[in-house]
Amino acid sequence: MKEKIAASWDDILEFLRTEYNIKKVSYETWLQNLKFKDVDGNKIIIVVDDEDAFSNISFIQNKYGTFIKNAIAEVLSLDSLPEIEIIAETAQPSKKPVPEIKNSSNYSSDFILVPDYTFDNFVVSRSNSMVHAAALKVAEAPGEIYNPLYIYGDPGLGKTHLMHAIAHFILDNSPNLKVMYVTSEKFTNEIVDSIRQGNVSPSDVRDKYRNVDILLIDDIQFIIGKTRTQEEFFYTFNYLTEARKQIVISSDKPPRDFADLDERFRSRFESGLIVDITTPDFETKMAILKKKLEMRQYETGMNIEISDECLAYIADNINTNIRSLEGALTKVIALANLNHKAINMELVEYALKDMIFPNQRRVITPEFIIDVVAEHFDITAEDILSDKRDNRIAFPRQIAMYLSKRYTMRNNNEIAKVFRRDHSTVIHGINSIEEKIKVNPDVENKVDIITKKLNIK
C-alpha cells in the first residue's frame, strides 16, 4: 500500500486539481507542496514541506481534506475513503515572513505602502480596465507615456490601490528609481507648517518633492482653492514634467469640473491621460468579494465558508464602493466568528441591516460624521465615544462635535446624547474648534478636508 501511494502521489495531486476545478493560486498555495510520507494502520500521513503553509495545516485539512481523501480513493480504486493526517515536516516551522517595507533609499514617504495593493490583487472589469491598463503602462515605463496620469472617480473604487500598485511595481522592477507617495493633505500641511513656523522654507519643501523619479499624489481635490499650496505644487509639477519624471494624480472628479481650478493647472492636467473608475457592476463585485475572501483565508488560515447566494446578497445591496463592499464582508465574517455560527442568509441580513440603504441619499447625522472623522484620524468611532482624554482622541472628538452642530439639525442636547456627554462638554468642544480654525491654518485645513469627505450637497 505504501509503495502504491508513493508511486501514484503525483497522479493523486493532478486528479485533485483537475477533478475539483481548484484554482491555480489555491492549488499552488495549499496543495502543490503536500508530500506523501507514510501509512500508519488505516491512516495516510501527509506532510507539508512549505514553511508558508505550516501555520495553516488545520485550514488545509478542513477545506481540502475530503477532496484529498476522494482523490486517493479514486486514483487507487479503494472501496472506502481513507483516513488522512497532515503534519509539518519540521518540529519548529518558520513563521510566515512579514511583508517587506520598501527600502527608504528608493521609497520616500511617511506612508507605508499597503502590501496587498498590487496589480495582481486588483480585479479588472469593464468599469476599470482602461485605468488599470494605463496604470500598468506607467509602471512599466515611468515618464515615457501618459505623463501626468490623472485618475478620478468616487471614493473607495480603487484609485489608491492602483497608485500603491504602481509604486510596488516600480520598486520591484526598477530599484534604481526613487518613488514618493503622498496625500494632498500631507503636502498641504507641510506648506502650512513651513509658512507658520518659519523653520523650513517653502523652497525646501519644494526641493524635497523634486528629488524623486515618480511622484504619486492622492486626492488632489483637497488642495484646489488653497492658493499658496497650489502655487507650490505648480512649481513641483513643472519641474518634474520638464525633467521627464512621472506624476500620477488621483481625484474625485476630472479637472474640468473644478470651478476654482487655476487654468494653468487645468491645461497641465489635461496634457497627459485622464481616466476614470466607475462603480463596479454585479459580476465585478462578486469577483472582488471572492478575491477578498480568498485573501482573507490565506492570511488567517481560517476555513471561511460563504455560499454564492450570500455573496450575491452583499453584491446586490452594497452599491456605494469597493471599500464598503470589503467592509460588509469583514462585518459578516466577524459576526460569524464572534457568535460561533455558520454564515447563512439570516446572519448576512442581520449583519448588514445598518449598512444597506437601497436608492436612498445619505443623510448627514452625528453618527455618520463620527464614522468619517474616525476614519480620517485612523481611530475608531468607539474611541470618539469613549472616556479617553488624550489629544489623539479628544481633538477628533471636538471636530466631530463641531461638524455635527454645523451640518445637522440636532441641538446641543441631542448631540451630547449621541456623544455620551453633557451639553456643556459639547459647547466647549464646538467653541474650541471654532477658535482654533481662526488662528491655526492646519486645523482649518483638516476641517475642510473632512467636510469634503462628508460629501454634503
Side-chain angles (χ1 to χ4, degrees), residues 26 48 58 116 159 204 236 274 420:
S26 298
V48 180
S58 61
D116 290 337
K159 300 188 299 295
D204 290 336
T236 299
I274 300 175
R420 304 174 188 172

Side-chain angles (χ1 to χ4, degrees), residues 174-321:
S174 303
N176 58 309
L177 298 181
K178 191 169 184 179
V179 180
M180 175 177 283
Y181 167 85
V182 67
T183 66
S184 61
E185 180 185 8
K186 173 65 176 175
F187 185 85
T188 301
N189 287 342
E190 289 191 4
I191 299 300
V192 169
D193 287 344
S194 70
I195 296 170
R196 184 182 63 193
Q197 298 175 4
N199 55 347
V200 179
S201 71
S203 61
D204 290 336
V205 176
R206 192 185 314 159
D207 290 341
K208 169 185 174 181
Y209 289 98
R210 285 182 177 186
N211 188 32
V212 297
D213 297 294
I214 300 93
L215 175 63
L216 305 109
I217 183 161
D218 218 348
D219 291 325
I220 196 70
Q221 69 270 16
F222 294 136
I223 75 169
I224 305 301
K226 295 179 170 62
T227 305
R228 188 62 182 270
T229 306
Q230 280 189 171
E231 284 296 317
E232 295 303 330
F233 183 70
F234 181 76
Y235 298 139
T236 299
F237 186 99
N238 281 349
Y239 181 88
L240 291 177
T241 52
E242 288 172 6
R244 298 181 63 83
K245 306 298 185 181
Q246 181 68 52
I247 298 177
V248 182
I249 298 167
S250 81
S251 178
D252 63 345
K253 63 181 73 173
R256 66 175 182 271
D257 288 355
F258 288 108
D260 51 353
L261 178 63
D262 191 305
E263 187 58 37
R264 295 174 301 168
F265 278 100
R266 198 186 316 275
S267 63
R268 281 162 174 76
F269 289 162
E270 293 176 348
S271 67
L273 179 65
I274 300 175
V275 283
D276 69 324
I277 302 181
T278 58
T279 304
D281 56 21
F282 173 80
E283 289 76 14
T284 304
K285 288 191 285 185
M286 284 292 287
I288 290 169
L289 286 170
K290 289 182 178 181
K291 182 73 173 179
K292 295 295 183 183
L293 182 60
E294 189 174 277
M295 291 170 60
R296 180 67 59 86
Q297 291 186 138
Y298 175 75
E299 291 167 357
T300 64
M302 296 168 56
N303 181 22
I304 307 170
E305 296 289 346
I306 304 181
S307 69
D308 282 352
E309 180 188 16
C310 291
L311 292 177
Y313 179 85
I314 299 173
D316 268 330
N317 288 282
I318 303 298
N319 299 311
T320 47
N321 54 51

